[in-house]
Amino acid sequence: QMTQSPPSLSASEGDRVTITCRTSQSIGTKLNWYQQKAGEAPKALIFGASSLHSGVPSRFSGSGSGTDFTLTISSLQPEDFATYYCQQTYFDISFGPGTRVDV
Amino acid sequence: EVQLVQSGAEVKKPGESLRISCKVSGYSFTSHWISWVRQVPGKGPEWLGRIDPIDSYINYSPSFQGHVTFSVDKSVSTAYLHLSSLQASDTAVYYCARHRPTAQTGPYYDYWGRGTLVTVSS
């Protein structure tokens, strides 16, 4: 089981945003983060809990291991308003329920 | 340029079957696993399973085994998702996604298709 908190949040441009993902069992660092905008496919942001996917801005960062993980956006930009999903690849593959970031 | 191009939207009646295609280009089709993911409108993604195009080895999600089938045609670099006995609850966007393996931290999806909207309605 995967949970994300908060389910949604309101933020402003320039804010620091933190999203948490928790798993019911330890998954090491087999945790990825994706960003999805309305009508689009998800896009990779972070893999292996803390590694930045190619081309992703450095304002995105990930941390954590075991059961608790965090995605941080250091300074929210207009293009970052989206829904964010975590994904674990330790026990088959599954996604978290998502965190919507809006204005 | 890596691309995963999916077939177009479908409207089906309950009980019917469906095949969605995912044609890849820009890389060697047999070098990366393909996963299938579905997303019900307003909900999070759900993993249906994955296939290794080199030998068609498949892992199905226990939640969907028996309801979905995967196949590939290496001659046209295309992966297929077969859905049978469709129900209204199968209404969703279906994505194919390419696995990017990593050394120690498991795979992630570095490229996605645009998705295929499937609507099941009587």
Side-chain angles (χ1 to χ4, degrees):
Chain A
Q1 294 294 338
M2 303 182 71
T3 60
Q4 285 184 236
S5 60
S8 64
L9 66 90
S10 295
S12 300
E13 184 177 343
D15 284 353
R16 181 181 181 90
V17 170
T18 299
I19 298 168
T20 297
C21 176
R22 289 196 168 91
T23 59
S24 57
Q25 298 181 71
S26 178
I27 60 169
T29 56
K30 294 188 175 183
L31 191 286
N32 308 315
W33 289 97
Y34 297 87
Q35 177 195 67
Q36 186 178 33
K37 297 180 181 178
E40 299 182 3
K43 294 179 181 177
L45 293 174
I46 302 286
F47 66 93
S50 61
S51 297
L52 208 61
H53 174 60
S54 175
V56 174
S58 59
R59 64 181 179 272
F60 290 93
S61 63
S63 64
S65 66
T67 60
D68 295 301
F69 302 88
T70 300
L71 172 70
T72 300
I73 309 172
S74 61
S75 178
L76 199 66
Q77 298 301 299
E79 61 268 30
D80 300 337
F81 292 99
T83 301
Y84 294 84
Y85 295 99
C86 56
Q87 176 201 43
Q88 67 81 23
T89 62
Y90 191 92
F91 302 104
D92 281 340
I93 293 174
S94 60
F95 292 86
T99 294
R100 179 175 174 175
V101 177
D102 56 26
V103 179
Chain B
E1 179 192 8
V2 173
Q3 288 189 313
L4 284 71
V5 178
Q6 297 186 223
S7 47
E10 302 265 9
V11 179
K12 292 292 186 180
K13 295 188 185 317
E16 293 185 336
S17 299
L18 171 65
R19 187 183 79 169
I20 298 170
S21 65
C22 173
K23 182 173 176 61
V24 314
S25 61
Y27 73 97
S28 173
F29 180 53
T30 55
S31 63
H32 293 263
W33 288 65
I34 294 286
S35 263
W36 289 95
V37 174
R38 85 170 188 181
Q39 189 169 31
V40 174
K43 302 293 186 182
E46 299 173 280
W47 181 66
L48 303 180
R50 57 189 168 189
I51 183 167
D52 186 350
I54 199 167
D55 59 5
S56 293
Y57 182 81
I58 294 170
N59 290 136
Y60 290 112
S61 164
S63 299
F64 294 96
Q65 185 145 18
H67 188 45
V68 301
T69 308
F70 308 144
S71 64
V72 299
D73 185 340
K74 289 186 283 188
S75 68
V76 290
S77 299
T78 301
Y80 299 97
L81 165 64
H82 308 258
L83 299 166
S84 60
S85 302
L86 289 164
Q87 305 172 28
S89 57
D90 294 316
T91 295
V93 177
Y94 292 80
Y95 296 100
C96 58
R98 188 182 88 158
H99 281 228
R100 171 85 170 266
T102 64
Q104 297 178 349
T105 58
Y108 71 103
Y109 301 156
D110 60 350
Y111 288 93
W112 294 66
R114 286 189 158 187
T116 298
L117 175 61
V118 174
T119 303
V120 183
S121 174
S122 54

